[in-house]
Amino acid sequence: MSRSTPKAGFRLGIYVFKDAEIVDYAAPYGVFSVARRLDPALDAFLIADALRPVQTQAGMTVLPNYSFADAPAMDAFLIPGGFGTRQEMYNGRLHSYIRSLPSQCLLTSVCTGSWIYGQMGLLDELPATNRKEPDRLEASGAGLVPIDRLAQIAPKAQISRSRVVDAGRIITAGGIASGMEMGFYLLERAGYDQSFIEDVARIMEYADAYALYRSDRHIIDQS
């Protein structure tokens, strides 16, 4: 996919499932929502296993725009994290859907969403990241910090502590709020220049944070 010429009508499909983390999916959606003010051809939508309401983290319920059966066209597919990823790692329907996506469709994730790609073996020999800061349960020793759990799930992956990791087709982002950086980075992968992206960040009053996090990347040279 070109990184210099914007792809007309770039479409981001965001997977929602039971107990998906709200910020993980809402942040990249929000970036695209604001970016559409500058280029209405951009699109973001929610996709689920079935076309029915989905209760995500903390009881927040959303209605997906598409189901797997609808097979919507998209340029990037994003899996958020959240408690629900523990079940989604073993969701055969999701795995089949991911494998059915065309090779030019980017596979992306925020936080523990990368566990699913790891469970599928898609991160073997590739760099990937996950949340690095423990919650109280993880800090107590009763559980693993997600990035350490990723190392167990995908022992052949190259674990990176960067906020955004671009391994070519697969792009992973670290913790919960890194969904913002994933949204901005996908605009870059779609071919938008820095002035466009910086304008989106400015409108969102996120310019300083964008400038700070922009260098926290691990990118495989695709040339």
Side-chain angles (χ1 to χ4, degrees):
M1 184 175 296
S2 172
R3 301 192 191 196
S4 58
T5 303
K7 184 183 186 303
F10 188 95
R11 305 186 78 215
L12 170 62
I14 301 175
Y15 179 53
V16 285
F17 51 90
K18 188 178 186 321
D19 292 329
E21 184 63 58
I22 296 167
V23 179
D24 286 11
Y25 66 83
Y29 199 114
V31 170
F32 268 62
S33 174
V34 174
R36 287 188 68 185
R37 302 184 190 183
L38 307 179
D39 185 356
L42 283 164
D43 193 17
F45 55 84
L46 303 180
I47 182 169
D49 192 329
L51 200 59
R52 57 174 177 260
V54 177
Q55 183 174 297
T56 63
Q57 196 78 15
M60 182 170 177
T61 301
V62 296
L63 183 63
N65 304 94
Y66 300 100
S67 70
F68 288 166
D70 293 320
M74 59 186 143
D75 300 285
F77 178 70
L78 185 146
I79 304 177
F83 288 117
T85 53
R86 290 148 180 82
Q87 288 75 46
E88 296 300 318
M89 281 198 298
Y90 305 100
N91 182 345
R93 285 175 54 83
L94 171 61
H95 296 185
S96 295
Y97 180 75
I98 292 170
R99 295 189 190 281
S100 75
L101 293 172
S103 61
Q104 65 268 27
C105 178
L106 298 175
L107 301 179
T108 74
S109 66
V110 175
C111 201
T112 57
S114 64
W115 287 357
I116 295 163
Y117 297 136
Q119 181 69 25
M120 295 174 65
L122 299 179
L123 299 181
D124 289 357
E125 315 304 332
L126 296 176
T129 193
N130 211 303
R131 177 164 58 84
K132 301 169 286 295
E133 293 296 331
D135 61 22
R136 289 184 176 180
L137 181 65
E138 294 155 358
S140 73
L144 284 175
V145 178
I147 196 166
D148 296 331
R149 175 68 171 139
L150 176 63
Q152 287 190 348
I153 293 168
K156 294 182 181 179
Q158 303 165 21
I159 304 303
S160 171
R161 300 187 68 83
S162 297
R163 194 166 177 85
V164 173
V165 177
D166 182 347
R169 185 188 182 196
I170 299 181
I171 307 171
T172 57
I176 297 171
S178 67
M180 292 289 291
E181 278 60 56
M182 176 61 80
F184 292 124
Y185 189 68
L186 286 176
L187 292 177
E188 189 172 325
R189 280 296 304 263
Y192 291 89
D193 61 26
Q194 281 304 309
S195 64
F196 178 94
I197 299 169
E198 288 169 4
D199 207 16
V200 175
R202 177 192 59 78
I203 294 168
M204 299 182 78
E205 298 194 8
Y206 199 76
D208 289 347
Y210 174 69
L212 174 66
Y213 286 126
R214 186 183 165 199
S215 62
D216 192 1
R217 297 172 175 177
H218 180 166
I219 301 174
I220 292 181
D221 187 359
Q222 301 295 308
S223 61

